Each structure stands twice: as structure tokens, then as C-alpha cells.
Amino acid sequence: VQLQASGGGLVQAGDSLRLSCATSGRTFSTYAMGWFRQAPGKEREVVAAIDRSGSSMFYADSVKGRFIISIDNPKNTVYLRMNSLKPEDTAVYYCAAKNLAVGGLRTRYEYWGQGTQVTVSS
């Protein structure tokens, strides 16, 4: 599975962005996809995740009510709509995919895309 993330940029606090992650390869075996982020000097953390059917989702407490994850199966693409962005959302955002249900939606992702930088100015 190959993943290509896009949509990052420089925005002001309160603005919105939509990240996209296009997948290719053996996508039919994907169990779930997720978005992670890593800020300078911090560990990578899970932001949001969704199962292939779109019926089960996870959000980190820090983004609940502001971010929305969605999946478009015909396009093999997962999106992250980020609203009311804050300076603390500044990070490199990565999309990831997993084929196995072990670990649920939050852990044990096998495939990773390159990151896309999101910078939120105050």
C-alpha cells in the first residue's frame, strides 16, 4: 500500500484546512486509516482514525469537535477536515494504513505516507 498525503500549508488561527491521503496498491485489504502528527520535539501522536467502512472513528481529545475524518472508498482516499485551527496544531501530519484489526484504530499501523506540514500562526 502506498500513501500520498497533501493539503498542508500555512494558515492563521481559526482557519480551516483539508488534508487528503490518496492510497494505491493493495487497498482492498485495508482495515483502517489514520492521521498522525508530530510537532518539533514531541512524539508522534494519533489525531484521528477511521475504519474502512466509515462506521467507526477515533479522535484525540485535543481535536474532538474541530477535526473530521472521512473516507471515500471509490477514490481510495481519506480526508481530514481541520476546523478552528490553533497554533498548537502545528506539526507534520502523516497518514497511515493498516490491514489488521489488532491494536484497534489507534495503533499498529503498517504503511505510512510522507508527511505534510501544517503551520498555524497566532
Side-chain angles (χ1 to χ4, degrees):
V1 178
Q2 294 79 46
L3 301 96
Q4 180 73 38
S6 61
L10 171 63
V11 297
Q12 293 185 332
D15 286 350
S16 298
L17 273 178
R18 189 181 77 161
L19 305 182
S20 300
C21 179
T23 64
S24 60
R26 296 174 62 87
T27 59
F28 60 85
S29 59
T30 300
Y31 162 71
M33 295 190 68
W35 286 97
F36 293 73
R37 68 186 180 188
Q38 186 166 21
K42 295 187 177 181
E43 292 187 356
R44 185 174 61 194
E45 61 176 352
V46 59
V47 175
I50 188 168
D51 71 352
R52 184 63 183 266
S53 71
S55 62
S56 183
M57 288 168 275
F58 167 82
Y59 292 97
D61 288 343
S62 59
V63 306
K64 279 182 181 177
R66 299 189 298 122
F67 290 11
I68 301 171
I69 190 169
S70 61
I71 190 166
D72 185 333
N73 284 307
K75 294 183 178 180
N76 291 320
T77 300
V78 65
Y79 303 97
L80 185 68
R81 177 68 178 182
M82 304 185 294
N83 299 316
S84 302
L85 282 162
K86 304 175 181 180
E88 51 264 44
D89 294 318
T90 295
V92 177
Y93 284 70
Y94 300 89
C95 62
K98 60 185 296 185
N99 291 339
L100 301 177
V102 174
L105 293 179
R106 290 182 286 178
T107 63
R108 301 196 182 186
Y109 280 77
E110 304 157 77
Y111 307 98
W112 295 84
Q114 91 294 352
T116 184
Q117 177 71 45
V118 172
T119 303
V120 184
S121 63
S122 57

